[in-house]
Amino acid sequence: MADSLSLPVAPIAAGYDHSSLLSRNSAFSSRLLPSKCFSSGKNKLNLSSLGQYSFHSLHHRVTPIRALDSDVPHPLHKGSVDFKSKKSYEQWDSLTSTFSGAANIPFLLLQLPQIILNARNLLAGNKTALLAVPWLGMLTGLLGNLSLLSYFAKKKEKEAAVVQTLGVLSTYVVISQLAMAEAMPLTHFLATSVVVGSGLILNLLNYYNILNRRIWQIWEDFITVGGLSVLPQIMWSTFVPYIPNSILPGAIAFILAVAAVTMAHTGKLSEKGVKFVGAISGWTATLLFMWMPVSQMWTNFLNPDNIKGLSAISMLLAMTGNGLMIPRALFIRDFMWFTGSTWGTVFYGYANIVCLYIFNSIGREFFIAATVGLISWLGITLWRDTVVHEYESPIRTLKELVFGS
């Protein structure tokens, strides 16, 4: 994810290497500096001219991303980072990237036990045991991972893209095991394999800017229609049998999604409408993952005894994995990512820990440790981001996150 950031151009201190500063921001130098600030025929700064130019306009920063602009790869905004805070800013940039990459560990540990258990059952010839794993739910999660992979690959957020790639691969392994146990129809598995293979290759090529733009647009349209069709169907199915079992929500959403994509390509939507359609895939994927804790809590409400079947360690890993990505989402002001990560941390991981504590499935020490750890992490994240941006209050940080600059 650090690849989407360029180091800020800050006021130049005595003894600083000016050429190295420009080399890291060469893509922006011509439009950030007036032509008189360069020596003729050379890509060097004319220091005498720079004395007449305000350095406070030379800051490359990450945009606070509005909901409709959440898929913009390399935005700029009006904020500034003073030179005196440049080091702490870069350190926090690096740390948030590291935290995001470290989320791979808890997420991998979440899926690994299921993979190992499935493998043991397959080797023992106990295929019936794999019927307990819902292939439709796994397929939904896979689609969510693919959509978010495309979102982060487009933004050049390397660490987050790696997390989603790991999610795609680990989920695909489980789906492959289900297919071997005949718990998933073979035709569905083959179609899934084509989509997964194509998605991984297309995202890799797009990340390195070697993919035809038209092909990428087709892929984005596919995940937009797929995500928007699946989301309402999953939400509806959660409350069956209290509501009638129907495919109507998914069918209606599919028709609307196809219509929206068609109108966007035929110029029948306003610029804001086109941006809205472009942001659908990322938001639907986020909402799919956000719905998981809602579904889990609904199940807990209907069948309190099932709570004993929840693993406290798994819930802690879910809270940790999502929590590790919050600092990065806040740092680059990605409201969609921040919303999904915070929701997963609080309502999927921590809320289930609360349920386990209420029903005496975990001890007080475990609950207190998880509570203190979560509050401390969120507090430190907000405080540190406010400090590196030299804001007087975290309210400005949250305002930028939600409303943009």
Side-chain angles (χ1 to χ4, degrees), residues 87-107:
K87 184 176 181 180
S88 62
Y89 183 87
E90 293 175 1
Q91 287 176 342
W92 188 237
D93 175 8
S94 178
L95 275 174
T96 56
S97 293
T98 301
F99 293 149
S100 180
N104 280 297
I105 298 174
F107 284 140

Side-chain angles (χ1 to χ4, degrees), residues 42 70 72 125 144 153 156 161 212 249 259 279 282 309 311 324 347 350 367:
K42 299 179 180 180
S70 60
V72 177
K156 301 298 186 288
N212 180 274
S311 167
L324 283 170
F347 291 100
Y350 183 70
F367 173 71

Side-chain angles (χ1 to χ4, degrees), residues 181 190 263 315 391:
L190 293 176
M263 292 174 68
M315 295 302 103
Y391 294 159

